[in-house]
Amino acid sequence: MEKLGKLIYSGKAKSVYEYKDEDKVVVSFRDDITAGDGEKKDSLSKKGYYNTLISTKLFEILEENGIATQLVKLIDSSSMVSKKLEMIPLEVIARNLATGSLIRRFPFEEKTPFNPPIIQFDFKNDEFHDPMLNDDIAIALKIATKEDLAEIREITLKINEVLSKFLDENGILLVDFKLEFGKDNNGNIILGDEISPDTCRFWDNKTHETLDKDLFRKGEGDVMSAYHEIFNRIISNEDIKRWSIDSN
Ligand code: TMP
Ligand code: ASP
């Protein structure tokens, strides 16, 4: 395991450290899990491991499909060397089926399919409880330009297409998910953060069993068995060998 550099930032489930190259950082996934703006908290053994490897695998699939992500390389089973990005404080949500906050706020029947998917922008700000916003509000807040928002929307639709197909082939229905983007030194919009059971609704594509953080949010079932199941369905022994990390 490489020694981590100076801590730059610590979020609710990940920490960011300096790396020897100035244009990169190390994103380290912890076992912490929170819900409700951090009101409900726990630490679940192996969560950091599962989310690191699930995110890495999904970022690799996206890169293979021409989508730029922050991923540079794994350094161990909980740390990813990543491009240093200026993060845009938006939570970009794509929804293929109606559930979650959408059906609490709007009169959609649960599981209504959306084709094309709904793309929703929330302002990433705990103090204001991540309110939904529109292009005009984001532009007035100076967090993105009209062009940035259009590009983010296009990339999100492409990500949805690529991941829905890959996950479906592995028995997983991608119900909805949240992305975060940032800009590199050249102003390019790059996918950052993570794509994991913390940030997606993953359902078994036949039984519709929940295999994600909703189990924790609702206090139902064994959260880590669900993460383990997603891990098993999408990560092969070849992946583990290729990454040269412990199978844990
Ligand atoms: P929602 O239906 O609760 O708005 O969630 C939509 C998607 O966003 C779902 O896949 C879970 C994900 N999400 C996060 O990644 N972080 C959050 O803080 C919340 C509330 C949802
Ligand atoms: N991001 C929210 C929190 O940490 C959790 C969620 O995903 O619902 O509280």
Side-chain angles (χ1 to χ4, degrees):
M1 185 168 153
E2 282 184 50
K3 199 174 155 288
L4 292 172
K6 198 174 127 212
L7 179 69
I8 302 172
Y9 169 81
S10 190
K12 289 194 283 267
K14 295 190 291 302
S15 302
V16 180
Y17 296 88
E18 283 179 351
Y19 190 59
K20 55 191 177 205
D21 305 340
E22 272 195 8
D23 59 344
K24 300 187 182 75
V25 292
V26 174
V27 176
S28 179
F29 291 69
R30 306 194 312 267
D31 285 344
D32 300 328
I33 185 163
T34 71
D37 291 341
E39 270 175 28
K40 182 173 177 180
K41 285 187 198 161
D42 207 342
S43 173
L44 301 177
S45 174
K46 288 192 80 169
K47 196 196 102 168
Y49 171 84
Y50 291 135
N51 279 4
T52 307
L53 300 186
I54 292 168
S55 267
T56 298
K57 178 72 188 183
L58 296 178
F59 281 175
E60 285 180 355
I61 301 282
L62 292 175
E63 291 277 354
E64 282 164 20
N65 283 275
I67 293 155
T69 77
Q70 70 178 6
L71 174 67
V72 178
K73 61 170 184 176
L74 271 182
I75 45 174
D76 60 53
S77 60
S78 65
S79 309
M80 190 192 272
V81 178
S82 305
K83 294 166 196 155
K84 191 187 267 181
L85 303 175
E86 179 87 41
M87 293 306 290
I88 301 168
L90 286 176
E91 300 207 341
V92 182
I93 297 166
R95 299 180 187 273
N96 293 309
L97 289 187
T99 191
S101 69
L102 196 75
I103 60 170
R104 290 198 297 274
R105 292 179 183 173
F106 299 98
F108 288 112
E109 200 164 318
E110 169 124 65
K111 298 193 187 181
T112 304
F114 300 122
N115 196 2
I118 288 178
I119 306 296
Q120 174 189 332
F121 293 101
D122 288 358
F123 180 36
K124 185 177 165 72
N125 185 310
D126 278 347
E127 190 189 339
F128 287 85
H129 305 291
D130 302 340
M132 192 188 298
L133 44 57
N134 64 12
D135 283 20
D136 285 356
I137 296 173
I139 294 163
L141 283 169
K142 297 193 168 46
I143 60 180
T145 64
K146 198 171 181 54
E147 294 71 33
D148 291 340
L149 295 167
E151 189 178 341
I152 287 172
R153 195 185 152 79
E154 281 316 303
I155 302 172
T156 302
L157 287 168
K158 177 84 197 286
I159 290 173
N160 184 47
E161 238 178 75
V162 170
L163 292 187
S164 293
K165 179 168 179 288
F166 169 75
L167 291 164
D168 184 60
E169 288 164 1
N170 291 283
I172 301 163
L173 176 64
L174 181 58
V175 176
D176 56 30
F177 58 96
K178 183 267 299 178
L179 304 174
E180 295 182 28
F181 293 88
K183 284 191 179 178
D184 68 9
N185 283 341
N186 303 316
N188 299 312
I189 292 177
I190 313 275
L191 177 68
D193 196 52
E194 68 182 295
I195 306 184
S196 73
D198 272 19
T199 62
C200 302
R201 286 196 174 93
F202 292 138
W203 292 354
D204 179 278
N205 67 2
K206 297 210 169 61
T207 64
H208 288 184
E209 180 195 356
T210 295
L211 297 170
D212 59 59
K213 187 177 166 184
D214 262 355
L215 295 169
F216 178 77
R217 294 190 187 98
K218 296 177 182 167
E220 291 168 359
D222 183 347
V223 183
M224 278 310 101
S225 322
Y227 284 47
H228 185 234
E229 184 62 30
I230 296 294
F231 175 90
N232 276 346
R233 289 190 193 189
I234 69 171
I235 289 165
S236 63
N237 289 336
E238 284 67 42
D239 290 324
I240 301 281
K241 262 193 233 141
R242 189 166 51 82
W243 292 328
S244 39
I245 46 160
D246 301 337
S247 61
N248 212 298

